[in-house]
Amino acid sequence: MTNLQSPISNLQSPETQSLWTALQDVTDPEFPLSVVDMGLIYGLQREGETVCVQLTFTAMGCPCMHFIVDDIRARLLQEPGVANVQMEIVWDPPWTKNRLTAKGRERLQRLGMVV
Amino acid sequence: MITQPTWIVQLADSKYLLGRRFSEWTNRAPALEAAVAAAAMTQDEFGHARGLYAMLQNAPDAPEAYLEQERRAQLSGAPILEQPFRNWMEFIAAVGLFDRAMTLTFEALLDANPPTTAWSDPLRQRAAKIAQEEWFHRQYGAGWLRQLAAQTKTRDAMQDAVKRFWQPTSDWLAAMEQAAFADGALTGNQILRQRWSDETKTLLTQCGLTTP
């Protein structure tokens, strides 16, 4: 995968829509938000039984990287017809709070965070 | 065969060693907030090192265990980072001088437009994230440097710490730049050290410290 797609355009793709919905079940271990609403998912593609995920982390020293990767893989493998999950870690463009979805931003604000 | 550029290994090892040195101050810093910052910066440096090691793992001739530094017989990081810092002023000198020199290297890698090599894309990806995260380190180092230079009881020790780090950092950066240029990762040579020197001299002058 070389071409990054925004979550919004991917959400409109019928073949990946269920995958984006599935990833709403995967929460960031440090915030009460899904990895989608945190803006960690940079791209999602499905090719037959294989799902390719491009994701980033808020920090390179994020201690939760392995948890997040494992949780994403486990959840996607529960989807019908998915047998393989390939992960690609993307660092550019770097994550900023601008990656939060409107829902994610609203929720963090309700919790008193300045975003 | 893709070989691992030695200068990238040295860069990664220096990141790792700096993280080790920072970690030694997570319970010795002069204030609780400083200890928390030292812990955060430790995590950053380890994260940067591991991101680079993970990239280097893709080389066929990569050492057995980049990701388990303790298993490697010898690290090739900057020699100035091999010994613990003797005081908090040396911690700050390391942030203000050496950490900044490393960041300038990553910023230059981002600005450069070299011919595509096996390392170009993965290295630029990491450089973008590292440059973002190092912004805080730069602000933090400069803030403490000004504070320690302004206080009578710490001023001389701060000056000594700057003196200790100046030449080793300058030499390390010059060698790093030359190697990256020779490898085609940077399109200019003899620029980075001058940029670092000019920027650091300006900061030291603002603090009332002398350049070694």
Side-chain angles (χ1 to χ4, degrees):
Chain A
M1 269 193 306
T2 54
N3 297 323
L4 295 179
Q5 292 182 288
S6 73
I8 291 172
S9 63
N10 273 318
L11 279 171
Q12 294 169 346
S13 161
E15 62 183 11
T16 60
Q17 193 160 11
S18 63
L19 303 176
W20 284 100
T21 304
L23 290 183
Q24 288 285 353
D25 294 343
V26 180
T27 54
D28 185 301
E30 294 181 327
F31 298 96
L33 284 185
S34 75
V35 291
V36 174
D37 289 323
M38 276 295 290
L40 300 183
I41 308 299
Y42 277 17
L44 202 51
Q45 285 182 345
R46 180 165 186 170
E47 296 167 10
E49 295 182 329
T50 300
V51 175
C52 303
V53 184
Q54 287 183 319
L55 76 155
T56 195
F57 299 99
T58 54
M60 282 189 89
C62 173
C64 302
M65 283 183 188
H66 295 300
F67 297 125
I68 294 173
V69 166
D70 288 348
D71 289 351
I72 288 173
R73 176 173 283 113
R75 180 61 188 87
L76 290 175
L77 286 173
Q78 291 176 18
E79 287 299 290
V82 176
N84 305 297
V85 178
Q86 294 179 355
M87 302 282 209
E88 182 188 356
I89 311 299
V90 177
W91 294 114
D92 188 22
W95 185 91
T96 71
K97 61 185 181 183
N98 293 331
R99 294 279 315 165
L100 291 165
T101 63
K103 177 183 165 189
R105 184 178 299 273
E106 185 186 351
R107 181 149 195 196
L108 290 182
Q109 285 172 338
R110 276 209 312 271
L111 293 169
M113 295 184 194
V114 179
V115 291
Chain B
M1 173 186 280
I2 302 170
T3 55
Q4 24 135 9
T6 304
W7 63 273
I8 303 180
V9 181
Q10 292 170 342
L11 197 53
D13 280 350
S14 295
K15 277 281 182 188
Y16 175 73
L17 280 179
L18 187 61
R20 286 282 294 270
R21 299 287 83 86
F22 284 171
S23 74
E24 291 159 355
W25 287 85
T26 55
N27 60 356
R28 296 169 60 194
L32 179 59
E33 292 80 359
V36 172
M41 290 161 69
T42 297
Q43 194 174 24
D44 286 341
E45 298 303 334
F46 281 169
H48 300 165
R50 286 174 181 145
L52 294 168
Y53 289 136
M55 183 187 83
L56 290 165
Q57 286 287 100
N58 295 327
D61 57 346
E64 182 185 353
Y66 271 131
L67 297 177
E68 297 176 50
Q69 290 84 357
E70 289 77 7
R71 286 177 56 190
R72 291 172 58 199
Q74 193 171 3
L75 297 175
S76 59
I80 187 71
L81 301 176
E82 287 175 358
Q83 297 300 318
F85 303 146
R86 294 174 296 191
N87 52 45
W88 182 248
M89 280 61 74
E90 288 192 355
F91 182 107
I92 294 305
V95 178
L97 276 66
F98 193 87
D99 200 8
R100 181 61 189 145
M102 280 200 289
T103 304
L104 277 170
T105 307
F106 287 106
E107 290 174 354
L109 290 167
L110 264 182
D111 292 339
N113 190 21
T116 301
T117 68
W119 303 107
S120 303
D121 286 344
L123 190 55
R124 282 172 65 89
Q125 282 241 342
R126 286 157 177 78
K129 186 65 177 174
I130 290 169
Q132 180 206 42
E133 295 188 345
E134 285 287 342
W135 179 87
F136 158 73
H137 294 207
R138 185 182 182 187
Q139 302 299 314
Y140 189 78
W144 265 101
L145 197 59
R146 289 192 184 93
Q147 182 180 329
L148 293 168
Q151 295 173 359
T152 307
K153 64 180 180 181
T154 52
R155 182 184 180 81
D156 289 347
M158 191 65 250
Q159 182 69 69
D160 288 345
V162 167
K163 184 179 179 184
R164 179 168 181 239
F165 272 85
W166 179 273
Q167 198 58 48
T169 301
S170 179
D171 293 344
W172 178 88
L173 184 57
M176 180 60 57
E177 183 179 19
Q178 190 173 18
F181 175 71
D183 198 41
L186 292 178
T187 47
N189 196 9
Q190 304 294 321
I191 298 169
L192 210 47
R193 180 163 67 168
Q194 190 61 48
R195 191 182 301 165
W196 172 83
S197 175
D198 292 346
E199 182 186 298
T200 310
K201 280 178 185 171
T202 301
L203 175 63
L204 295 176
T205 302
Q206 288 171 351
C207 296
L209 296 173
T210 58
T211 301

